[in-house]
Amino acid sequence: MSERKVLNKYYPPDFDPSKIPKLRLPKDRQYVVRLMAPFNMRCKTCGEYIYKGKKFNARKETVQCEQYLGLPIFRFYIKCTRCLAEITFKTDPENTDYAMEHGATRNFQAEKLIEEEEKRFQKEREEEELNNPMKVLENRTKDSKMEMEVLENLQELKDLNQRQANVDFESMLERYRETEEEMRKRQEDEDEQEMRAMLAEAQKKRSLVDSDSDEEPACTKPKMTKVNPTEILSENFDSQKNNKGKLSNRQLISGLIVVKKQDAARSGQETRPPVIAPQVNDKRPGEVTTKGIGIKPGIEKPHQNSLPTSLALLGTYSDSESSD
């Protein structure tokens, strides 16, 4: 088997390289190369801007009958990115640059113009000095004065730098931090004072609202207070105890309870024990006596044997506690 990567080629013994025909290619033939735009340009057809560094697939050819010190000059053909118009430029080895030829205009470049102006001024000065020795002396005096001014300016810059070198930047930064801290504290104090003033004002408004709310109920009608019936019993019991000693429950409740006629009749019907009829005196027919107690005919005495009410039970309970 033969090798995959062949480095040596086989030449037969009767091989004659002079018999190989040579290709005669034209001298102005073109090659396709990949390049970048060497400068900023603007298309003359559509006005599109083509910036430096944009890549193109260009055609390259050698310019005939043009050389600089034996160096060939090449021409490049590119197309506008918008209208596809053809743009050509060629090399300029004399100025180490490229020269615009057709299809576009080179944009303004200040640096190039300054360099050209300096070169032109230097060339004119050399031509004047060749024929006029007094001009040479004047130019030398001007150059010496300019050098002295430059040295003075340089010395001033050195003095200024030395002054700045003596400045302690750490102390400056420390002072700046201190002033910043003082400003921050002052701002905090002002904020705190403002907050206190706002709180005092809010508290004052709240007190005014509370005072107004207190004055409003005074103008309204007074509310009726509920009286606990046991308080009356306890007050009567304490007063009677101090004056007369212990009293019976019936005597305490008799001054408080007034039974209506219907209630008395209903209670008389519901009770099981018999009702004792009042004894009538023959001498005074208009007066009814019951157990030696005189009662007017218009007033009926509550039944003694009726069922005990809630107040009677409450009085009995309080009497039992006091006896204990």
Side-chain angles (χ1 to χ4, degrees):
M1 292 178 66
S2 61
E3 295 181 1
R4 186 172 63 86
K5 293 182 178 181
V6 179
L7 301 177
N8 299 322
K9 295 182 179 179
Y10 173 74
Y11 295 99
D14 57 348
F15 176 73
D16 188 4
S18 60
K19 292 181 180 181
I20 299 174
K22 292 183 180 181
L23 296 175
R24 294 182 180 179
L25 298 175
K27 294 181 180 180
D28 57 347
R29 67 193 185 96
Q30 296 180 352
Y31 301 93
V32 177
V33 294
R34 181 79 171 173
L35 57 80
M36 291 187 294
F39 45 79
N40 299 328
M41 64 185 79
R42 185 180 183 185
C43 180
K44 289 182 178 180
T45 306
C46 62
E48 178 70 13
Y49 285 97
I50 299 172
Y51 297 98
K52 180 180 179 180
K54 190 171 183 61
K55 293 184 179 181
F56 292 94
N57 292 325
R59 291 180 288 115
K60 171 189 170 184
E61 69 177 7
T62 305
V63 180
Q64 301 296 325
C65 303
E66 285 189 25
Q67 286 185 351
Y68 175 74
L69 301 178
L71 297 175
I73 296 173
F74 301 101
R75 182 181 289 115
F76 300 95
Y77 298 87
I78 60 174
K79 291 185 179 181
C80 177
T81 55
R82 184 176 180 183
C83 64
L84 300 178
E86 192 174 59
I87 300 170
T88 61
F89 56 90
K90 60 183 180 180
T91 58
D92 186 8
E94 183 179 359
N95 299 318
T96 62
D97 198 2
Y98 290 85
M100 193 70 219
E101 195 173 25
H102 174 71
T105 57
R106 187 168 181 172
N107 290 354
F108 176 76
Q109 291 183 348
E111 294 179 358
K112 185 177 180 180
L113 294 177
I114 290 170
E115 290 177 357
E116 291 178 355
E117 188 68 22
E118 288 179 355
K119 289 179 180 179
R120 184 179 61 80
F121 179 74
Q122 189 71 20
K123 189 175 182 180
E124 290 178 356
R125 182 178 177 180
E126 289 176 357
E127 289 177 356
E128 289 178 355
E129 290 178 354
L130 288 174
N131 301 324
N132 191 355
M134 293 299 293
K135 194 69 176 178
V136 176
L137 184 60
E138 289 178 1
N139 292 335
R140 286 179 182 177
T141 53
K142 287 181 180 179
D143 293 339
S144 62
K145 287 181 180 180
M146 189 177 291
E147 287 178 1
M148 292 295 292
E149 290 178 359
V150 170
L151 289 174
E152 288 177 0
N153 294 332
L154 184 61
Q155 188 66 29
E156 289 179 0
L157 291 173
K158 287 182 179 179
D159 295 339
L160 183 60
N161 292 333
Q162 191 172 3
R163 291 175 189 173
Q164 291 181 355
N166 295 330
V167 176
D168 190 4
F169 293 101
E170 294 295 332
S171 61
M172 293 176 63
L173 291 174
E174 190 65 27
R175 290 179 184 176
Y176 176 74
R177 292 193 192 97
E178 290 177 358
T179 53
E180 194 176 55
E181 187 68 21
E182 290 177 359
M183 291 176 65
R184 187 178 62 80
K185 288 182 179 179
R186 190 182 304 167
Q187 186 70 23
E188 289 179 357
D189 294 340
E190 291 178 358
D191 294 343
E192 188 174 358
Q193 290 178 2
E194 188 176 357
M195 185 64 69
R196 287 178 181 176
M198 291 173 66
L199 290 173
E201 188 177 356
Q203 190 173 4
K204 186 177 180 180
K205 289 182 180 179
R206 189 179 299 170
S207 62
L208 291 174
V209 172
D210 294 341
S211 63
D212 294 340
S213 62
D214 292 340
E215 290 175 0
E216 287 177 359
C219 299
T220 59
K221 294 181 179 180
K223 294 182 180 179
M224 298 297 291
T225 58
K226 294 183 180 180
V227 180
N228 193 0
T230 57
E231 292 179 358
I232 300 172
L233 294 174
S234 62
E235 290 176 359
N236 294 333
F237 179 76
D238 293 337
S239 61
Q240 292 180 6
K241 185 177 180 180
N242 294 329
N243 297 330
K244 299 179 181 180
K246 293 184 179 180
L247 298 175
S248 62
N249 296 328
R250 294 181 182 277
Q251 293 177 356
L252 292 171
I253 301 171
S254 62
L256 298 173
I257 300 173
V258 177
V259 182
K260 295 182 180 180
K261 294 181 180 181
Q262 295 179 1
D263 296 340
R266 187 180 300 170
S267 61
Q269 292 176 3
E270 291 177 358
T271 54
R272 293 180 182 180
V275 179
I276 301 172
Q279 296 179 3
V280 180
N281 193 0
D282 296 335
K283 294 180 179 181
R284 294 179 181 180
E287 185 178 357
V288 180
T289 58
T290 305
K291 293 183 181 181
I293 301 171
I295 302 174
K296 293 182 181 182
I299 301 170
E300 293 182 0
K301 184 179 179 181
H303 202 278
Q304 297 293 335
N305 296 328
S306 62
L307 290 173
T309 60
S310 61
L311 293 174
L313 294 174
L314 185 60
T316 306
Y317 181 71
S318 61
D319 191 8
S320 63
E321 287 183 352
S322 61
S323 63
D324 294 338

